[in-house]
Amino acid sequence: MNIILLPPGDLTAKNMLRQSDIPCISMVSDTFEIVFVSPLPAMVGEVTGWDRKLLSARAPAGGGGKYTHHRPSLICLEALADGLFKIVSLKMFYESFGWLKILEGGEYAKPGPIWDEDV
């Protein structure tokens, strides 16, 4: 998965994108957006190359509303070109499960035990 992200030209945004586990919000509907909010520089990036079925196997969809997934997340990026980044890792937070790994090492992570019948 990659993300198309046009950061502001300031040094703060450029330095932020070099960090590990950047706090953000994952918002999935027909598109998959990653939103960075205050106190970080405000930015929205569109994720490309994602698969809804593989995503949902790792993070359960919510009910109702515009978004199937609207979760606090942590992301690590690797610059590929101006405005294009590889998503190296992505985790989404769920109150019932904690941090669920979506991507690890740039690939989909092994699905966790989120579909337990006893829960």
Side-chain angles (χ1 to χ4, degrees), residues 1-8 13-19 22 34 36 43-49 75-88 103:
M1 274 194 270
N2 293 330
I3 184 171
I4 300 167
L5 183 66
L6 299 173
K14 289 179 183 179
N15 285 335
M16 179 198 83
L17 295 175
R18 294 185 186 115
Q19 304 305 317
I22 305 164
I34 300 290
F36 300 92
M43 295 181 280
V44 178
E46 183 176 343
V47 177
T48 63
I75 193 170
C76 296
L77 303 171
E78 177 184 311
L80 298 175
D82 281 346
L84 182 64
F85 298 83
K86 177 180 181 177
I87 301 175
V88 177
L103 291 176

Side-chain angles (χ1 to χ4, degrees), residues 51-108:
D51 181 298
R52 182 177 300 281
K53 187 173 182 179
L54 294 173
L55 173 66
S56 293
R58 289 150 182 82
K66 178 179 176 182
Y67 301 102
T68 58
H69 299 77
H70 189 275
R71 308 303 311 173
S73 301
L74 297 174
I75 193 170
C76 296
L77 303 171
E78 177 184 311
L80 298 175
D82 281 346
L84 182 64
F85 298 83
K86 177 180 181 177
I87 301 175
V88 177
S89 71
L90 177 65
K91 299 174 218 166
M92 293 183 186
F93 186 78
Y94 284 79
E95 295 81 355
S96 298
F97 308 111
W99 290 105
L100 297 179
K101 292 180 183 179
I102 310 303
L103 291 176
E104 194 170 37
E107 303 291 329
Y108 281 99

